[in-house]
Amino acid sequence: MLPTAALLAISVIPAGRALRTAALLAGLLAAQASGLSEPWHLIPFVPASLIQPSGARIGVFLAAVCAVLMLAGPALPCTPCESTMQEVFAPESVEWPGTVHLDLSEPVALLRVPPGTAGPVEIRIEAGGCRDSLPAGYVISGDHVALIPQGVTTFRATGGGLVEIHLSRRPNPFEHPVIHAGPAHADR
Amino acid sequence: MPDRPMRIADLLRRLPPGFAPRMAAAAFAFLFWRLAGMPMPGTLGRLLPLAWVLSALIGATPAGRFETASLTAFATAGLLWPMSPLLAPAAGVALAAGAIPSMLGRAARGAAGAAAALLPVVPLIMATVPFTGDEPFNAALARSLLLDGDMDISDDLPQVAPESWVTPELGSPRPGITHHQPLFALFLVPGLLLGVPGYRLLPLLFACGAAAATARLLSRSGRDTGPAGWAILFLPGLGCAGLAYPDWAAALLTVAGAASLEGRQPVRTCILAALALAVLKIRFAPAGLGLVAAAISSRGRRSLVRAALLTVALGILALAVDRLLPGGGFFWARYGNVEFLRTLVHGTAARAGDILLMPAWMLLDQEAGLLWRAPWLVAAVAGLPALARERGPSRALLLSGILYAVGIAVWTPMDWHSMPTPTGRLLIPLLPLAAVSASRAGMPRPLLAVSAVMAATSLALPMSRFNHLDGRDALLDMFSSCLPHDAALWLPSMARPDLLVLAAWAGLSAALIMLLSRRTALPGALLLAAAAAVLAARAVSLDGVYEAEDLGPERRIGCSLYPELPDPNLRLDWRRSPERLLMLSDPWDAVILTSPGGGVVEVSARLSAMSAGAPALLRMEYGGEAREFAVESRVLPVPDWIGDVRGGRESPRRVDPGVLSDTLVTAVFEGARPGPLVIRRGGDSGVLFLDRIEVSSWERR
């Protein structure tokens, strides 16, 4: 996705119209290939690449970007990116010492519970960044689903196998939803 | 009333150039960050727009294309940021880069401008750079000196950094002595009242002072003062500007000493500067020696010989007195005081290979290399021949720089890179020389732009400046989930040396410099093509190669890293390579790799083992078949030169995997059905330390 963004940015930056147009076409193709399904987020680049005076071009682009953000929010991936929490085996317990930060770019964390783990998995979860008090996400453990309230919570996931932590918020202007998951602990 | 419009017009005229567009950009960035819902709105979302506001206030040049490009890149990455974990950091880097041209413009306006140039990013440095590395040690020493009246920091360190500790082996030669000298710690006293920003206050002023003094030196020689800004606003200088390290203070003393050659009593001033440098940190003593030599050589050859003899005699006297009275506690070195000379004699010969390769790693290593972090230094190297023909302060800087560089090479051939503190910290006293030298050569704009982007990266991603000599750069660590698992192997690394990769990157770099110089375009293009082909071939041959310590959670279950902490000082005396290892100590610990398929699959693992009784077993499973191997490692002998230095005294230390020999284990699976490849510990005793795994496959004819 980084090369796609670079091509799209180049379609606005240089002085030559030919180079901008070429970068725009390449950027549009790259965006299509990299899973940017909604066309709204590409709209600011089209007029901006065609306008010749530099000041007007940047002004139109920045205004169009703000308009798109207000109307459609930032672009979201079709398939949410997952991160896996690394476990460490101690003689009496299983520890997940790190902290995973979930935001809109990486909204899912997976925690593998080894078979035969004796106790429930205790996970420290901190959620926030929203302008209301509704849950920020949810935890799936076996057949159980628990909502993640904002603030600091310790979850006890009793089902084995895989514990999934999801950030469920959609993007809204002036909101920065985030979940910090971990550390976690379970007795063996 | 009638003159009010006039006053407003006057006010507008007095505004710095580019004030309005930069302020508008700051407002846009602040609002955009919130509209897009980007992460860290409270820190980066405020401090980066604040950097633009401050850059507007100090602006000396109109806003240009670089700022426009930065803002466009920021908006593009910010619009798409949820699409990849790389894009939000990229947006931050682009925004930080946009503040730099204004700072460079200010630095080009004389000594005061150079001193003020850093201002826009001071809040970022103070608030976001972790208080780590040697900073807590220096702060604890300040606390100990002032509150306890001693130099024993073991009871002060937990006060300033609760997670830190000190052991006699790593930090101090014996209780009551720390290898941090006391003078610099006294400059950190404001921290006792103000906390972390207080500890960093005076070091920040030293950095600004060094930039100002360098600018003054440049302006006296009739040059543009812009290069003084490059020294402080680009890496490696920016990485330590405002942090509690003595290196910028040393740079200030060096440039002040060099400038005194145009004054009334240069010899006396240079001797004072040299003494101050040695007391600040014994590592800076060669730089001071260079200043004194330059001051004396400006008076004639006879006085140079006399002064050299006097300097040597004084040095011997100082070392002897220090050894006899405080037991080597003042000019402390690793093996006492006078004894360190034996380290130099034996160690330099034994580590000649490391010393010879040092320039290559200093330029190209992915964690410590300066060529891609600070390409502006290419201009500094290009200007050295012109500088060598000059006299006065330039010669003093050159002599001081040469002696300091030789001192670093001989004294610290293994840790010149200063990891885990910011990369290139030990080279900061050379930056005034680099700036003056760069002013004698032309600076291609692409080098300037890349230097600005790399500086912006260290501002927007403060953790990127801390590396740990583990063979993978901090940036690759941060974004490992978005990058190929073997991306780090394509880049040169002194922790995991691959001479083919090093040669390819050396060729690529040389070719790019030749292309930029435009005089050698055709050979440059040919070299570029050849080096790229070699690198591509090597990258293909690395397919199926896994450095065990790089494996992410998707390829391993359990398996802690050894040592648990990334501090390279814990691996300083390892007799094998300094890279970390993947530990298989629990029955559930396992490495799981995807199979390449094919009729015959060959798996090689390089590892070492520790066991109390029966040998540890390594078990490889693939396609329903399993192979088990007994692994035994022997303790590697202490290098001869260390034995010579110790005079036969062997210090007792526990055996850890760093002093064990490697074993190569190879398993061949023929005709097994495809499936995951699992590597785990067999049996229930012993511990295995995995270093590298290679998986290949082919069809049997």
Side-chain angles (χ1 to χ4, degrees):
Chain A
M1 200 59 207
L2 196 60
T4 308
L7 283 169
L8 291 171
I10 290 171
S11 74
V12 183
I13 293 167
R17 185 179 280 165
L19 182 57
R20 288 203 310 272
T21 309
L24 175 68
L25 292 174
L28 293 178
L29 285 173
Q32 176 71 23
S34 58
L36 188 68
S37 55
E38 293 182 37
W40 312 111
H41 299 95
L42 300 173
I43 287 175
F45 300 94
V46 178
S49 67
L50 299 175
I51 298 171
Q52 189 56 23
S54 167
R57 184 167 69 240
I58 301 301
V60 165
F61 171 69
L62 296 182
V65 163
C66 286
V68 167
L69 276 179
M70 281 191 279
L71 294 172
L76 288 177
C78 305
T79 314
C81 190
E82 296 172 347
S83 56
T84 306
M85 295 176 70
Q86 180 67 60
E87 65 282 292
V88 174
F89 299 121
E92 304 285 321
S93 63
V94 187
E95 307 285 341
W96 289 264
T99 303
V100 174
H101 309 284
L102 305 184
D103 57 30
L104 295 174
S105 70
E106 210 163 6
V108 181
L110 304 177
L111 185 146
R112 298 171 295 211
V113 185
T117 304
V121 182
E122 291 186 358
I123 318 165
R124 182 186 187 277
I125 295 185
E126 188 175 349
C130 305
R131 294 186 181 273
D132 55 43
S133 55
L134 297 173
Y138 54 90
V139 179
I140 304 175
S141 167
D143 297 335
H144 304 284
V145 178
L147 297 174
I148 301 174
Q150 295 191 52
V152 181
T153 320
T154 300
F155 277 86
R156 291 166 66 87
T158 48
L162 204 61
V163 177
E164 296 178 29
I165 303 161
H166 290 254
L167 176 74
S168 59
R169 290 296 189 124
R170 302 286 296 175
N172 276 320
F174 303 103
E175 287 197 346
H176 311 265
V178 67
I179 290 177
H180 306 292
H185 163 94
D187 291 328
R188 290 174 81 170
Chain B
M1 279 304 282
D3 59 343
R4 172 165 291 187
M6 284 297 289
R7 281 187 199 156
I8 291 173
D10 280 348
L11 190 68
L12 287 175
R13 264 198 297 275
R14 284 180 194 169
L15 287 175
F19 178 81
R22 288 192 179 108
M23 288 298 280
F28 169 80
F30 183 83
L31 275 173
F32 181 89
W33 201 290
R34 279 141 190 85
L35 272 180
M38 283 168 56
M40 291 190 279
T43 49
L44 287 183
R46 288 177 183 156
L47 293 171
L48 288 174
L50 177 64
W52 276 74
V53 170
L54 295 173
S55 77
L57 290 172
I58 67 159
T61 51
R65 287 181 61 190
F66 192 82
E67 280 107 319
T68 309
S70 302
L71 203 61
T72 306
F74 163 69
T76 306
L79 179 68
L80 306 174
W81 78 268
M83 298 292 293
S84 162
L86 284 169
L87 285 175
V93 170
L95 194 57
I100 290 179
S102 163
M103 295 150 67
L104 290 174
R106 173 50 61 190
R109 300 295 168 97
L118 194 65
L119 177 68
V121 294
V122 166
L124 266 170
I125 292 169
M126 291 288 179
T128 64
V129 180
F131 190 67
T132 180
D134 279 353
E135 282 188 291
F137 286 85
N138 289 326
L141 187 55
R143 190 184 161 86
S144 184
L145 285 170
L146 258 91
L147 300 185
D148 305 343
D150 60 32
M151 289 177 63
D152 179 7
I153 62 171
S154 58
D155 54 343
D156 296 280
L157 195 57
Q159 317 291 327
V160 293
E163 73 283 2
S164 296
W165 78 101
V166 62
T167 64
E169 186 182 5
L170 288 174
S172 310
R174 62 171 184 265
I177 292 185
T178 165
H179 71 280
H180 299 280
Q181 288 169 235
L183 177 63
F184 180 70
L186 296 175
F187 296 121
L188 307 181
V189 169
L192 298 182
L193 291 174
L194 304 172
V196 171
Y199 289 124
R200 289 174 170 174
L201 189 63
L202 285 173
L204 179 75
L205 293 180
F206 290 143
C208 296
T214 308
R216 184 177 290 268
L217 209 59
L218 286 167
S219 65
R220 275 188 190 166
S221 61
R223 307 274 173 174
D224 173 28
T225 61
W230 305 342
I232 194 170
L233 298 176
F234 293 155
L235 295 176
L238 182 71
C240 270
L243 305 192
Y245 293 106
D247 303 86
W248 270 111
L252 175 59
L253 282 170
T254 306
V255 73
S260 74
L261 260 71
E262 290 179 336
R264 284 184 189 167
Q265 292 182 318
V267 176
R268 190 176 298 177
T269 312
C270 282
I271 287 175
L272 282 176
L275 282 175
L277 281 165
V279 174
L280 190 65
K281 194 133 184 124
I282 198 71
R283 165 163 57 86
F284 303 133
L289 205 61
L291 291 177
V292 176
I296 293 170
S297 71
S298 66
R299 299 177 127 205
R301 186 169 294 173
R302 187 178 293 175
S303 45
L304 176 64
V305 174
R306 207 162 41 197
L309 290 173
L310 184 68
T311 308
V312 171
L314 280 175
I316 291 172
L317 183 68
L319 289 173
V321 169
D322 178 47
R323 185 72 182 93
L324 293 174
L325 295 181
F330 193 60
F331 292 127
W332 185 82
R334 189 68 65 185
Y335 291 99
N337 177 335
V338 177
E339 289 87 340
F340 86 89
L341 294 173
R342 284 204 306 218
T343 309
L344 290 188
V345 172
H346 293 285
T348 305
R351 296 178 294 190
D354 292 323
I355 295 172
L356 285 175
L357 270 177
M358 188 194 295
W361 297 129
M362 203 177 273
L363 288 173
L364 294 167
D365 178 66
Q366 59 180 290
E367 295 179 271
L370 293 174
L371 196 59
W372 63 275
R373 278 186 175 79
W376 71 276
L377 291 173
V378 171
V381 175
L384 281 177
L387 202 69
R389 290 190 290 272
E390 295 180 18
R391 302 184 70 83
S394 305
R395 171 171 290 188
L397 279 179
L398 189 61
L399 264 179
S400 162
I402 289 171
L403 288 184
Y404 180 70
V406 170
I408 290 282
V410 174
W411 181 236
T412 60
M414 308 302 284
D415 54 356
W416 54 268
H417 43 71
S418 73
M419 288 185 251
T421 64
T423 302
R425 176 172 69 84
L426 268 53
L427 306 179
I428 285 175
L430 298 175
L431 291 182
L433 167 66
V436 172
S437 179
S439 72
R440 269 61 172 175
M443 171 67 88
R445 281 188 170 269
L447 294 187
L448 212 55
V450 176
S451 300
V453 171
M454 295 314 299
T457 304
S458 81
L459 289 169
L461 306 170
M463 288 308 287
S464 71
R465 61 181 87 189
F466 299 105
N467 271 297
H468 298 95
L469 192 61
D470 53 11
R472 188 159 71 163
D473 184 67
L475 277 174
L476 300 183
D477 266 338
M478 279 181 212
F479 304 115
S480 58
S481 62
C482 318
L483 299 170
H485 73 88
D486 53 357
L489 300 181
W490 305 343
L491 301 169
S493 163
M494 60 183 158
R496 304 191 289 220
D498 182 330
L499 288 182
L500 204 57
V501 172
L502 177 66
W505 279 100
L508 276 178
S509 310
L512 287 174
I513 291 168
M514 287 162 80
L515 288 173
L516 279 174
S517 73
R518 292 183 185 172
R519 271 175 274 175
T520 47
L522 184 61
L526 292 174
L527 183 59
L528 186 72
V534 170
L535 190 61
R538 186 66 184 133
V540 169
S541 73
L542 287 170
D543 189 32
V545 175
Y546 301 86
E547 284 292 343
E549 68 274 23
D550 287 354
L551 295 174
E554 68 283 359
R555 288 194 174 87
R556 64 180 162 112
I557 295 174
C559 310
S560 321
L561 286 173
Y562 185 89
E564 188 185 347
L565 294 171
D567 186 352
N569 289 311
L570 298 172
R571 292 168 271 138
L572 201 60
D573 58 348
W574 280 22
R575 291 164 209 167
R576 44 181 292 149
S577 87
E579 54 190 315
R580 292 168 82 189
L581 301 165
L582 197 64
M583 187 165 71
L584 278 70
S585 59
D586 190 275
W588 288 354
D589 283 336
V591 169
I592 301 176
L593 304 175
T594 48
S595 146
V600 182
V601 173
E602 183 178 304
V603 186
S604 298
R606 199 165 64 202
L607 73 165
S608 52
M610 281 170 57
S611 61
L617 293 178
L618 176 77
R619 184 179 171 87
M620 295 183 181
E621 300 165 6
Y622 176 67
E625 294 182 15
R627 309 271 190 277
E628 279 198 348
F629 303 87
V631 183
E632 285 186 281
S633 300
R634 62 184 171 81
V635 177
L636 293 168
V638 179
D640 290 342
W641 74 271
I642 292 181
D644 293 339
V645 169
R646 286 177 176 163
R649 285 175 286 118
E650 178 66 49
S651 61
R653 71 188 302 276
R654 67 192 174 86
V655 173
D656 74 9
V659 299
L660 293 178
S661 63
D662 274 342
T663 304
L664 186 68
V665 168
T666 302
V668 178
F669 297 92
E670 201 168 347
R673 61 178 186 277
L677 168 69
V678 181
I679 299 174
R680 63 169 81 232
R681 193 190 69 173
D684 55 1
S685 68
V687 184
L688 297 169
F689 299 92
L690 268 176
D691 177 6
R692 188 178 171 106
I693 304 161
E694 295 184 23
V695 185
S696 56
S697 69
W698 63 89
E699 293 293 342
R700 183 164 292 283
R701 289 182 183 174

